[in-house]
Amino acid sequence: MRRLTAFVSGTIQKTGYRAKVASLANFLGLVGFVQNLPDGRVKVVAEGDDSTLERFLNDLRIKNSLIDVQGIESNYTSALGDFIRFEKMVANGETDQRLDKAAELLSELIGVNKQIVAKIRNK
């Protein structure tokens, strides 16, 4: 077991990025957390086996109509066993799950609209 610590930069805050990261981590069976940093980056700490962490690190490079990961600084250390699940850290005054779902749906809607516009332009 190892610990991955990653600092993600790009257009990632207020986009539903942390919710996607938490979903990915939970799907893969990882433990740890994801949180916004004051400088605009997102910090991800995850523990698991080597191959799962490598897949997770690759999956953190999300690009869609709202999220645009530009860079990831990462390092590995020995797992400490501090976590029992993977959690999205939420600051005081911050909304949570409903807005994450809304961001996901908005992203899908933007994608559909782009496809419709492209079809109209092609005709």
Side-chain angles (χ1 to χ4, degrees), residues 23-103:
S23 291
L24 287 167
N26 285 312
F27 175 77
L28 294 171
L30 299 172
V31 295
F33 67 89
V34 58
Q35 76 179 124
N36 282 343
L37 297 176
D39 64 4
R41 295 180 302 159
V42 168
K43 181 178 182 180
V44 180
V45 176
E47 291 186 355
D49 65 62
D50 290 348
S51 61
T52 305
L53 288 174
E54 288 295 325
R55 176 179 174 187
F56 180 61
L57 179 60
N58 187 54
D59 289 347
L60 292 177
R61 300 179 192 284
I62 300 170
K63 290 189 186 289
N64 63 31
S65 54
L66 294 176
I67 300 167
D68 185 13
V69 172
Q70 292 293 312
I72 299 177
E73 298 172 30
S74 62
N75 69 337
Y76 291 94
T77 56
S78 297
L80 301 176
D82 293 341
F83 311 110
I84 58 172
R85 65 183 155 282
F86 197 93
E87 297 185 78
K88 173 185 154 187
M89 306 299 277
V90 180
N92 284 342
E94 187 178 2
T95 57
D96 193 20
Q97 295 171 338
R98 284 176 274 157
L99 284 182
D100 289 336
K101 184 63 178 170

